[in-house]
Amino acid sequence: PDGEIWQEILGKIEKKLNPQIFDSWFRYIEFERVEGNTLFLRASAVNRDWVQRFYFDLLKESLGDYQITWNILEMEEAA
């Protein structure tokens, strides 16, 4: 249910980017949870920062139909 929202959003994003860019920056962002009207995602710090810096508008546009915001949490590095 909630995770399906992220899969639908990923589908929209994938249609707008070439496969290499999508695979590099979006493929490994993981669904964490939905809390209220915020979608929480998880990604490495580099991935999170890159997506927020260069794909902010695309992510915002893709989330628009759901009237939710997002927060990308940093994945804990494996020890």
Side-chain angles (χ1 to χ4, degrees):
D2 288 339
E4 291 174 11
I5 292 171
W6 179 235
Q7 292 307 312
E8 290 176 21
I9 292 164
L10 277 179
K12 290 179 177 189
I13 292 170
E14 188 171 18
K15 290 177 185 176
K16 296 180 180 185
L17 296 174
N18 77 49
Q20 289 177 320
I21 291 174
F22 179 82
D23 287 342
S24 294
W25 299 112
F26 287 91
R27 177 74 61 200
Y28 300 105
I29 297 176
E30 298 176 2
F31 171 80
E32 177 76 16
R33 69 185 184 277
V34 172
E35 194 172 296
N37 66 339
T38 301
L39 175 67
F40 287 87
L41 306 169
R42 189 167 294 279
S44 69
V46 170
N47 197 342
R48 178 199 62 202
D49 294 346
W50 188 269
V51 166
Q52 289 183 157
R53 182 172 183 176
F54 296 103
Y55 297 102
F56 177 88
D57 290 338
L58 175 59
L59 192 52
K60 184 177 177 182
E61 174 187 322
S62 299
L63 287 166
D65 292 343
Y66 300 95
Q67 297 182 352
I68 57 176
T69 59
W70 76 94
N71 185 349
I72 302 176
L73 306 171
E74 184 175 339
M75 233 179 239
E76 292 181 11
E77 297 298 323

